[in-house]
Amino acid sequence: MRKPLLSVLGVGLAVAPVTVALAAEPHTDTTKAQDTTTVSAADKRVSMQVPREARDKQRLAHRRAAHKRHRASAKRAAAAAPATPPALQAIAACESGGNPAAVGGGGRFRGKYQFDYGTWASVGGSGDPAAASEAEQDKRAAILYSRAGSSPWPVCG
């Protein structure tokens, strides 16, 4: 016995035309244009045939929406992050090649800007400067640069 799906499930669904087959055994559709999903409904099996094109359109729309959300999120994050001033970029390139995990001076100087532990703590940093995120190192270097200019970096400043 076949019934339209909308009359079985109720009103308010906006889907492609779907048919439902009620049978004692699971129904298998062998056509390439449609897929069959069998779900248990009480003591009977309900087979829903959804056209592949409709399913593919829905998946594509979902992927596009997710991609659009991701791009918007990335734009917001880029806009929120303060840009590193050119002077600090030059210092970082000279001190560590821009590597936030760099360790120099026998382990004494650490991170993108080669902080020692005392200087790192003086600008509000805690722990190992080389283990801090790059954004955190940029923030702490900007604080130090605003206080003392390039003098904390005598070779690269």
Side-chain angles (χ1 to χ4, degrees):
M1 165 167 88
R2 292 190 177 271
K3 292 183 180 179
L5 181 61
L6 293 176
S7 67
V8 172
L9 296 177
V11 182
L13 298 175
V15 295
V18 177
T19 59
V20 175
L22 299 176
E25 294 297 318
H27 174 74
T28 304
D29 186 355
T30 58
T31 65
K32 290 185 179 181
Q34 296 181 348
D35 287 336
T36 300
T37 304
T38 303
V39 291
S40 185
D43 292 340
K44 298 180 181 180
R45 298 240 180 227
V46 177
S47 295
M48 296 186 299
Q49 297 176 345
V50 180
R52 181 174 289 156
E53 298 84 22
R55 186 188 67 235
D56 290 346
K57 278 184 181 179
Q58 184 180 16
R59 284 181 181 166
L60 182 60
H62 182 14
R63 278 192 217 125
R64 284 181 178 157
H67 183 69
K68 187 176 181 179
R69 285 190 307 271
H70 175 73
R71 281 194 342 242
S73 175
K75 283 182 182 178
R76 282 192 306 272
T84 306
L88 284 178
Q89 289 176 0
I91 290 169
C94 175
E95 290 286 345
S96 66
N99 180 3
V103 177
R108 182 172 174 213
F109 301 107
R110 307 179 72 78
K112 185 175 176 180
Y113 298 95
Q114 295 293 284
F115 286 102
D116 64 18
Y117 284 102
T119 305
W120 179 250
S122 75
V123 291
S126 63
D128 182 1
S133 70
E134 186 172 6
E136 180 72 12
Q137 292 182 43
D138 290 341
K139 177 181 173 183
R140 302 295 170 203
I143 293 169
L144 182 60
Y145 191 80
S146 70
R147 288 182 187 170
S150 63
S151 64
W153 299 278
V155 174
C156 295

